[in-house]
Amino acid sequence: MKLIKKSILVLFILLGILSNIYAGGVVYLVIGSDTAIWAGMNTAKHDNYYDIDLYINPNRNAYQVMDPSFRDQFRDSYGTPLKMTWWMMAGNIFRYATNKNVPVPNIMTLYLMKKYHSENIILNGDELTLHYHTFYWSDYDGDGTYYWNQSKTFLESLDDFNFTLAQFLLEEETFPVSFRSGWHYMDNDWQHYLDQRVLPYSLHNDYPAKRTFDDEPIDNIFDWSEAPSEWIPYNPSYDNYQIPGDGKSWNVRSASFQRSIRNNYLDSIFAAAQNGTDQVACIWAHLPEADFLDNIVIVDSLAHQAETKYDGVTFKYCTAIEAMQLWQNVNDFNSPSLNITENISGEDVFFTITTDEEIFQTQPFIAVKNIYSDFEVVDATKISDTEWRTVESFKKSELVKVGVTATDNTGNQGMDFIEYLPADKYIDNTDLQYSEIYGNWITNNLKSWGIDSRSAQLNNSDSVSAVWIHTITKSNNYNLFVQVPEMDDPVDSFDYIIYQNSVPVDTIQFSSSLKPFNWNYLTTIYFNESDELKVQYRASADEQPGKNAITDVLKISALVKDKELNVDEQLIDLKEVSVNDTIVYPLEIFNYGITPLKINGISSQRGSLISNFSFPIEIPKMSSLEFKLQFSFTETGEFIDSLMILSDDPNNTNLMLPIVASVQEYFETVDNDETNKYQEFGEWHTSVATAFGESSRYAWLNASPLASASFNVTLRETGLYEIKYIVPTTINSTDRAIYEISIGSIIIDSVLIDQNEGSGSWVSIGKYFLPNNADINVKIIDSGESTLGIVLRADALKFELLEKLNSIQNPDDILNTFELAQNYPNPFNPSTTIKFQIPHSTHVKIQVYNLLGEKVRTLVDEFLSMGVHYTVWNGKKDDGSFVSSGPYFYRIQTDNFNESRKMIYLK
């Protein structure tokens, strides 16, 4: 009996050991997205405009993936629906966006995701956090062309990274606890900064990827070749972020949807968990990708297949923070209790921050915003493990908001804020605070803010009116602005009435239409806390029947400044300019203050600015003036200068703007936007893609009639030129476009070109001798014989002077003789130019003869005035056929002058 009992006990022990051996681990599966806006992003352009349709269109991926019914299809081993982590891209290339349809362009992706999808984010249990690319506006190779390159080091982007973190915290009260770097790029400096000042969890280990190719524009440079291959978090080494070490933060291996599916990583992850070791895997994609939703279905299917294949292994859909906390077996989910208090010293204020526990960061992250919309990350002195004091003080009267955040060592986050002025308020036509009093209003798909606007056509004796209403939360001066989209036949006589507690206090009358897609200033008024502000819009058909009234959004801002100088540009990029040319650059200077601003001077440090203005020049309150700046450069090469704008803005008396230019030998460019130099034949359309200028054009192939476009230029120098064309980056353009080059009415060459090859860059058509002061024409023609593509494109042409030839350009310098110059080039193919001069008006005949003395072509046969003239021969006979290779003679005949010269045609 005792033996049986012992045997049973041993059996239970063995079963327990075996169950532990074969008990599977848990796969914590983080499904997420590096989420940016691609539409409008151009790394060759400093200031981009982004199309926000991805977030606001119900038919696009954002709405589809945020739908709880879509998520409910995908459940983990515990029956929990799919939850996701959204790493929202912000910083640098977004920072200088020209969008005015979002409050803060730099962090527009986060704003849009919260505004249009916050309810479903909460329902789905998703995580919103930061994705950051180290874009850096630079010219690393020194060729004069600037790009948003990937920075060579993180330190080049550190100021912008801090600026972006501050805006995340103060504008959207969001701060990253988990993080993914753009391009999977890391260096030790970045990892150190994350460890010391920012966050505990990074999910960008992209083992075994490595890429070092760095031709501009530079992107996707990374190295994870030494990183762990396991799907198990590790602490990065201080000396090498790729390998495990003594760092206090964590890094997690990641892979894109496509690579995970292609390599079936989920199978290997589940296999590794079968021995009882929990795994953490980040599987991600980009929200704009066409197959984003389909790949979620595939990833979920592969997870369930692996779950079935590996007994005992389960998987759990988690956000990034949740996955790390579960993997760490965290028991404390309480956020640190942060508190920020003022220490006032006269007009200045310091801040003290306290917490109830030790935190992950070496100090809390502290950010300050002032009325000039400056964002600053603030250093603090450590008083104890739970108390800090800011190193610097701030003028309290200029503060808008101060925020502090920190996490504990297991990813629980706390925040606290002091709000001195309320955030800007935007009331859209879809908001409850907007209503219409009278008129026949309709919803219009045109929009400058949100998803639509409201409009009303005024007929007969129609009148319309609409109102925006807001309750003031703090006594202060407030600036009021409105914004509308562009619309055909807008009203040009209308007014806005401002009410304070139902009492009219101001009326702003307009006698011209509002500038679309811009904040149009109404007035500045002081309101007390709890006052009701009402803005009423009115328009009538009087003297403007048939015109359209339109309303969209009202902006209420407490950020009122006495004077504020501002420019939209952060850089004056003159791009390629000709030496000794005068370049005109229109710069609009704004005064965002409520009193006039004086511009006391505009100059450049290195003297490239040659404009002369009479200073001081006054810019009225809440207005702007355009200054047509003129620049000139006397030497070729890459040129860097600084523009200095002196004013009486108390916050910025000397605004500096960098000037960059690539100064080259003489050239001319012609763009499709230059209506006096560009013409179209057939049906053409504007393309959203562009490689030069503000737009490009396209026409469908094989239309009736066949489409063509013509570029015209007059050159100031005579010489050998290389003619180049550029079209946007394309794969759907014709492979047989005809480029026909003419001087005057004479076609000198016709070239068949595949527009897809080299698209996005300047491509050579050929080299030609071209005269000055003549009509040069390049015609782009649909040949009707394309074997590839669906469109013919036109964007810009460039004429680069390779060799300058002396020529008599001033009639006063003409010698009192006849002259027939040697043709150039000689020998030639495909064409050559013949220069001749006559001292008085006469009939001129120039003909070409072969060696037998037979006439093959008459080039000139007309009465000409005195001066220098040119004619071109393209190797064709009078009947249009080409002559054979060999020597030919050309002869000039006038009333009392005859001369011949020899030339050689090479076929």
Side-chain angles (χ1 to χ4, degrees):
M1 189 68 177
K2 288 182 179 180
L3 182 60
I4 293 172
K5 287 183 178 180
K6 285 183 178 180
S7 299
I8 293 173
L9 180 61
V10 171
L11 180 61
F12 274 112
I13 292 172
L14 288 172
L15 287 172
I17 293 171
L18 289 172
S19 65
N20 287 331
I21 291 174
Y22 292 104
V26 179
V27 176
Y28 298 111
L29 203 52
V30 181
I31 306 296
S33 170
D34 295 348
T35 305
I37 298 176
W38 293 346
M41 183 183 290
N42 182 351
T43 58
K45 189 175 181 181
H46 188 269
D47 304 335
N48 292 294
Y49 181 87
Y50 295 86
D51 183 352
I52 65 175
D53 188 67
L54 175 66
Y55 296 91
I56 68 175
N57 186 336
N59 298 316
R60 298 290 298 276
N61 282 350
Y63 267 96
Q64 302 295 315
V65 75
M66 286 300 180
D67 187 342
S69 64
F70 174 81
R71 300 288 191 88
D72 198 53
Q73 303 174 76
F74 316 111
R75 292 179 175 264
D76 59 24
S77 303
Y78 305 91
T80 304
L82 172 67
K83 57 181 69 172
M84 299 183 67
T85 300
W86 301 96
W87 290 282
M88 308 303 299
M89 184 172 165
N92 33 53
I93 196 169
F94 280 97
R95 180 173 174 178
Y96 303 107
T98 59
N99 290 65
K100 294 183 180 179
N101 56 350
V102 293
V104 183
N106 190 46
I107 59 171
M108 69 173 75
T109 62
L110 177 62
Y111 162 80
L112 292 165
M113 188 66 89
K114 290 181 70 173
K115 178 173 177 60
Y116 291 97
H117 305 286
S118 59
E119 183 177 341
N120 283 339
I121 288 170
I122 295 168
L123 286 173
N124 295 323
D126 289 357
E127 176 187 343
L128 278 179
T129 184
L130 172 66
H131 179 61
Y132 185 85
H133 279 244
T134 53
F135 281 113
Y136 183 60
W137 186 253
S138 53
D139 175 25
Y140 285 121
D141 61 12
D143 67 353
T145 302
Y146 280 73
Y147 294 99
W148 282 111
N149 285 308
Q150 179 177 344
S151 65
K152 296 286 190 179
T153 70
F154 166 65
L155 295 179
E156 292 172 303
S157 293
L158 176 57
D159 287 344
D160 182 79
F161 186 59
N162 276 334
F163 181 88
T164 301
L165 288 169
Q167 287 195 327
F168 254 53
L169 177 63
L170 296 176
E171 297 295 324
E172 294 294 339
E173 299 192 357
T174 300
F175 197 82
V177 176
S178 76
F179 178 66
R180 280 181 51 78
S181 60
W183 296 299
H184 295 285
Y185 167 70
M186 290 297 292
D187 62 14
N188 286 330
D189 288 329
W190 199 354
Q191 186 63 66
H192 299 163
Y193 196 73
L194 295 179
D195 286 356
Q196 296 166 13
R197 296 291 295 270
V198 188
L199 50 84
Y201 303 137
S202 295
L203 292 87
H204 43 218
N205 166 12
D206 196 36
Y207 172 86
K210 181 176 181 178
R211 189 174 185 270
T212 58
F213 184 76
D214 66 349
D215 283 358
E216 291 188 353
I218 302 171
D219 62 21
N220 278 306
I221 305 299
F222 46 77
D223 187 0
W224 292 96
S225 59
E226 302 173 53
S229 62
E230 295 83 8
W231 300 84
I232 299 174
Y234 71 95
N235 301 111
S237 165
Y238 187 85
D239 297 320
N240 183 348
Y241 65 91
Q242 295 190 54
I243 63 176
D246 55 0
K248 60 180 180 178
S249 66
W250 295 94
N251 213 329
V252 175
R253 187 176 173 191
S254 66
S256 66
F257 282 2
Q258 292 87 348
R259 193 147 56 97
S260 300
I261 293 168
R262 185 170 61 248
N263 298 309
N264 199 1
Y265 280 150
L266 287 167
D267 186 84
S268 61
I269 294 167
F270 277 69
Q274 198 169 33
N275 67 3
T277 303
D278 293 343
Q279 310 284 304
V280 181
C282 172
I283 311 296
W284 63 275
H286 300 106
L287 181 63
E289 290 171 349
D291 57 359
F292 182 77
L293 301 174
D294 293 337
N295 283 336
I296 289 177
V297 177
I298 297 172
V299 169
D300 178 77
S301 175
L302 292 174
H304 283 287
Q305 290 176 29
E307 178 190 29
T308 302
K309 181 177 178 179
Y310 297 100
D311 291 339
V313 178
T314 58
F315 77 98
K316 185 172 182 61
Y317 283 130
C318 303
T319 64
I321 298 172
E322 181 185 13
M324 287 304 300
Q325 290 182 330
L326 291 172
W327 182 82
Q328 290 177 278
N329 294 313
V330 170
N331 295 316
D332 175 16
F333 297 99
N334 295 317
S335 298
S337 177
L338 282 178
N339 186 259
I340 182 168
T341 56
E342 294 179 320
N343 306 117
I344 297 174
S345 176
E347 295 184 355
D348 296 332
V349 57
F350 291 84
F351 298 98
T352 297
I353 298 92
T354 59
T355 182
D356 61 346
E357 60 178 303
E358 292 188 14
I359 60 173
F360 167 80
Q361 294 87 354
T362 53
Q363 67 161 70
F365 187 91
I366 310 162
V368 172
K369 177 184 178 182
N370 65 22
I371 60 171
Y372 300 100
S373 293
D374 297 325
F375 291 83
E376 183 178 352
V377 174
V378 181
D379 284 323
T381 301
K382 185 176 181 179
I383 298 172
S384 70
D385 288 342
T386 57
E387 185 176 357
W388 298 262
R389 188 173 189 266
T390 58
V391 173
E392 60 181 302
S393 64
F394 302 89
K395 188 176 291 187
K396 186 173 179 178
S397 60
E398 295 182 352
L399 290 177
V400 174
K401 191 174 184 179
V402 180
V404 60
T405 184
T407 58
D408 61 21
N409 290 312
T410 54
N412 300 306
Q413 184 182 66
M415 290 182 181
D416 193 26
F417 301 93
I418 299 176
E419 187 175 84
Y420 293 91
L421 291 174
D424 289 348
K425 178 68 177 178
Y426 303 87
I427 305 177
D428 190 24
N429 61 278
T430 58
D431 293 328
L432 295 176
Q433 298 99 316
Y434 170 85
S435 61
E436 289 151 4
I437 303 173
Y438 50 82
N440 298 315
W441 292 94
I442 62 170
T443 298
N444 198 312
N445 289 331
L446 300 173
K447 56 185 179 292
S448 61
W449 189 273
I451 59 175
D452 57 29
S453 62
R454 297 282 287 173
S455 64
Q457 187 176 54
L458 301 176
N459 298 307
N460 301 322
S461 58
D462 287 350
S463 293
V464 296
S465 182
V467 296
W468 298 261
I469 296 175
H470 175 64
T471 301
I472 300 297
T473 58
K474 184 178 179 63
S475 299
N476 200 70
N477 276 313
Y478 288 86
N479 288 329
L480 305 180
F481 307 85
V482 289
Q483 187 177 167
V484 296
E486 188 171 19
M487 190 175 193
D488 292 337
D489 296 322
V491 293
D492 49 23
S493 177
F494 52 95
D495 61 29
Y496 291 87
I497 306 172
I498 316 302
Y499 296 85
Q500 186 172 16
N501 298 322
S502 301
V503 177
V505 293
D506 199 0
T507 299
I508 303 93
Q509 295 179 325
F510 286 86
S511 56
S512 61
S513 59
L514 296 175
K515 186 177 181 180
F517 307 115
N518 277 272
W519 290 114
N520 295 273
Y521 173 70
L522 298 182
T523 189
T524 303
I525 295 184
Y526 187 89
F527 287 92
N528 294 304
E529 184 176 341
S530 300
D531 277 353
E532 181 189 80
L533 160 66
K534 182 168 72 173
V535 177
Q536 180 183 4
Y537 168 83
R538 298 186 312 181
S540 70
D542 295 344
E543 297 183 5
Q544 51 183 355
K547 291 185 177 291
N548 294 297
I550 189 162
T551 59
D552 199 342
V553 61
L554 171 75
K555 175 182 176 180
I556 306 164
S557 178
L559 276 64
V560 178
K561 285 82 65 175
D562 183 40
K563 303 176 181 184
E564 184 186 16
L565 184 149
N566 206 291
V567 294
D568 283 341
E569 288 90 335
Q570 303 296 320
L571 167 78
I572 296 178
D573 187 357
L574 301 175
K575 302 188 184 298
E576 297 175 339
V577 300
S578 290
V579 65
N580 295 321
D581 263 2
T582 297
I583 309 302
V584 178
Y585 186 95
L587 180 69
E588 191 171 12
I589 301 179
F590 296 86
N591 173 20
Y592 289 149
I594 59 172
T595 62
L597 172 78
K598 284 184 180 178
I599 304 298
N600 295 317
I602 302 177
S603 61
S604 63
Q605 287 185 325
R606 296 183 59 190
S608 63
L609 180 71
I610 61 173
S611 302
N612 288 314
F613 301 103
S614 180
F615 297 104
I617 298 173
E618 189 170 275
I619 303 178
K621 68 174 185 176
M622 304 303 289
S623 299
S624 67
L625 291 178
E626 184 177 86
F627 292 77
K628 292 190 181 300
L629 304 180
Q630 294 183 328
F631 297 91
S632 184
F633 305 88
T634 58
E635 296 181 359
T636 60
E638 307 314 315
F639 192 90
I640 299 176
D641 201 350
S642 293
L643 187 77
M644 299 175 292
I645 305 174
L646 304 177
S647 74
D648 62 350
D649 176 352
N651 188 58
N652 194 358
T653 58
N654 185 6
L655 177 67
M656 303 282 285
L657 281 179
I659 304 166
V660 296
S662 177
V663 188
Q664 302 178 3
E665 294 294 350
Y666 173 67
F667 70 89
E668 293 282 354
T669 56
V670 190
D671 184 50
N672 66 277
D673 290 318
E674 298 179 77
T675 55
N676 60 327
K677 298 180 180 180
Y678 174 78
Q679 289 181 299
E680 294 175 344
F681 310 91
E683 186 176 346
W684 287 80
H685 312 273
T686 299
S687 173
V688 296
T690 182
F692 187 91
E694 297 301 318
S695 71
S696 68
R697 301 283 285 172
Y698 72 92
W700 299 112
L701 294 179
N702 303 312
S704 181
L706 293 174
S708 62
S710 178
F711 292 88
N712 296 279
V713 66
T714 301
L715 303 170
R716 75 163 188 244
E717 303 285 357
T718 297
L720 180 65
Y721 286 83
E722 183 168 21
I723 304 178
K724 297 179 179 180
Y725 77 93
I726 194 169
V727 295
T729 302
T730 177
I731 58 173
N732 70 342
S733 294
T734 175
D735 62 343
R736 297 179 70 81
I738 297 173
Y739 281 70
E740 188 178 84
I741 298 96
S742 301
I743 302 177
S745 60
I746 301 173
I747 299 173
I748 65 170
D749 199 10
S750 182
V751 183
L752 207 58
I753 285 178
D754 182 347
Q755 289 191 325
N756 302 289
E757 292 186 4
S759 61
S761 303
W762 290 108
V763 178
S764 178
I765 299 173
K767 297 176 182 178
Y768 305 91
F769 178 78
L770 301 174
N772 69 339
N773 300 322
D775 182 26
I776 313 298
N777 176 273
V778 179
K779 194 172 185 180
I780 305 171
I781 306 167
D782 175 10
S783 67
E785 300 175 353
S786 295
T787 63
L788 176 73
I790 58 174
V791 295
L792 176 72
R793 294 188 184 273
D795 196 343
L797 291 179
K798 186 176 184 181
F799 299 78
E800 291 183 356
L801 179 64
L802 303 179
E803 182 181 349
K804 181 179 177 181
L805 299 179
N806 293 327
S807 62
I808 301 173
Q809 300 180 29
N810 189 334
D812 295 337
D813 297 332
I814 296 176
L815 299 177
N816 191 28
T817 60
F818 289 93
E819 180 182 314
L820 178 66
Q822 184 63 53
N823 66 302
Y824 186 90
N826 188 39
F828 70 94
N829 181 6
S831 64
T832 189
T833 300
I834 299 166
K835 184 182 83 170
F836 59 96
Q837 69 181 38
I838 53 177
H840 57 79
S841 298
T842 185
H843 189 275
V844 178
K845 182 182 288 185
I846 297 179
Q847 294 175 312
V848 179
Y849 298 86
N850 61 22
L851 290 178
L852 299 175
E854 297 170 335
K855 180 178 71 71
V856 296
R857 182 72 181 267
T858 298
L859 300 177
V860 179
D861 188 2
E862 59 184 310
F863 190 87
L864 297 175
S865 59
M866 68 172 289
V868 176
H869 300 271
Y870 297 88
T871 186
V872 176
W873 186 42
N874 56 7
K876 288 185 178 182
K877 301 178 183 178
D878 282 331
D879 63 8
S881 62
F882 281 98
V883 299
S884 302
S885 296
Y888 291 85
F889 294 93
Y890 59 100
R891 177 187 298 164
I892 184 171
Q893 295 176 287
T894 71
D895 53 357
N896 55 8
F897 176 72
N898 292 279
E899 187 172 343
S900 297
R901 287 185 179 271
K902 184 179 179 180
M903 60 183 167
I904 298 174
Y905 174 61
L906 298 178
K907 196 169 183 179

